[in-house]
């Protein structure tokens, strides 16, 4: 069993390896952890329901987590960045920081990918790291960070053989996969009312319990 190690939102280049990046936080450039709560990264993908990510943030905060959001570049078009940052108290991360810049987020104790799109799931499983979000997810495996994924896609996408193969690869990697959502018929925002954001926390709870 791999030992749990923290991962930060500090991926500086597309071709970095764990040995290239200093993953250990320095006290001088870490945000103020006002309370010693576990920290959850919520990775948000470009989807019609991404704007409801506040539901997951609120549920995590109620369960005594601090939360930071990492968005894919396209996901920024689907969320209210100002509202999300006000809710979490941290800036949204979507791109690599420049060398010497402070790390905006504390290390992650766990990661929830929600909503997770067809594109992100397949790239992640294939080890493609062409965005900050994917870079964090790919390296989280090596660091043993508990990770839950909540897919959101339509039935036509789910029928593609690459999707089931990607889910199987992620399961082999120890990723916890939400099963409450059935892929919707191909239409914008389909099945949004059936998407259980809180399931991500339910999946993570046995792996890493937040203090009461």
């Amino acid at each position: 069993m791999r030992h749990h190690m923290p991962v930060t939102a500090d991926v500086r280049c597309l071709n970095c390896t764990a040995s290239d990046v200093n993953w250990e936080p320095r006290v001088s450039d870490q945000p103020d952890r006002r309370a010693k709560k576990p920290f959850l990264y919520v990775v948000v993908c470009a989807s019609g329901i991404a704007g409801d990510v506040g539901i997951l943030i609120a549920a995590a905060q109620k369960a005594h987590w601090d939360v930071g959001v990492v968005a894919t570049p396209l996901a920024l078009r689907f969320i209210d960045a100002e509202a999300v940052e006000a809710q979490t108290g941290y800036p949204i991360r979507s791109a690599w920081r420049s060398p010497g810049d402070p790390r905006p987020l504390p290390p992650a104790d766990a990661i929830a990918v929600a909503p997770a799109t067809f594109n992100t799931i397949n790239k992640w499983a294939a080890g493609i790291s062409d965005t900050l979000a994917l870079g964090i997810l790919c390296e989280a495996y090596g660091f043993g960070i508990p990770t839950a994924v909540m897919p959101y896609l339509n039935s036509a996408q789910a029928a593609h053989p690459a999707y089931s193969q990607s889910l199987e690869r992620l399961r082999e990697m120890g990723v916890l996969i939400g099963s409450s959502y059935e892929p919707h018929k191909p239409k914008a925002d389909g099945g949004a009312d059936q998407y259980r954001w809180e399931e991500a926390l339910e999946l993570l709870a046995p792996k890493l319990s937040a203090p009461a």
Side-chain angles (χ1 to χ4, degrees):
M1 178 179 293
R2 294 184 304 277
H3 294 292
H4 172 71
M5 295 177 60
V7 60
T8 71
D10 176 27
V11 182
R12 301 187 186 184
C13 64
L14 295 179
N15 297 316
C16 287
T17 64
S19 62
D20 296 322
V21 180
N22 177 17
W23 291 98
E24 291 299 325
R26 293 180 298 173
V27 173
S28 61
D29 62 12
Q30 286 301 300
D32 178 23
R33 295 296 296 275
R34 290 168 292 264
K36 296 293 184 179
K37 297 180 181 179
F39 202 88
L40 176 71
Y41 283 8
V42 174
V43 176
V44 182
C45 305
S47 165
I49 65 168
D52 292 331
V53 68
I55 297 172
L56 176 55
I57 295 170
Q61 291 171 333
K62 185 177 180 180
H64 306 286
W65 292 85
D66 277 337
V67 183
V69 170
V70 179
T72 65
L74 289 177
L76 292 174
R77 304 179 185 179
F78 293 84
I79 62 178
D80 183 336
E82 184 175 347
V84 168
E85 290 179 345
Q87 186 176 11
T88 64
Y90 292 93
I92 295 173
R93 301 287 288 118
S94 63
W96 287 273
R97 71 183 182 93
S98 298
D101 286 351
R103 297 179 176 93
L105 300 180
D109 294 295
I111 301 173
V113 190
T117 58
F118 178 79
N119 190 50
T120 292
I121 288 170
N122 289 326
K123 282 187 170 185
W124 177 15
I128 296 172
S129 179
D130 59 359
T131 66
L132 175 66
L134 283 166
I136 288 172
L137 292 175
C138 287
E139 292 218 0
Y141 169 72
F143 285 99
I145 306 299
T147 304
V149 58
M150 295 291 296
Y152 180 81
L153 68 165
N154 66 48
S155 56
Q157 292 171 322
H160 195 290
Y163 177 64
S164 59
Q165 292 166 7
S166 293
L167 290 183
E168 183 58 31
R169 170 64 64 85
L170 293 177
R171 287 191 186 96
E172 292 172 355
M173 292 166 57
V175 175
L176 307 165
I177 300 174
S179 59
S180 64
Y181 182 77
E182 288 292 328
H184 56 270
K185 293 181 179 179
K187 65 176 183 178
D189 303 335
D193 58 338
Q194 301 172 23
Y195 192 79
R196 290 189 60 243
W197 294 89
E198 298 88 347
E199 186 182 3
L201 300 178
E202 295 167 5
L203 291 168
L204 290 168
K207 297 291 184 179
L208 184 65
S209 297

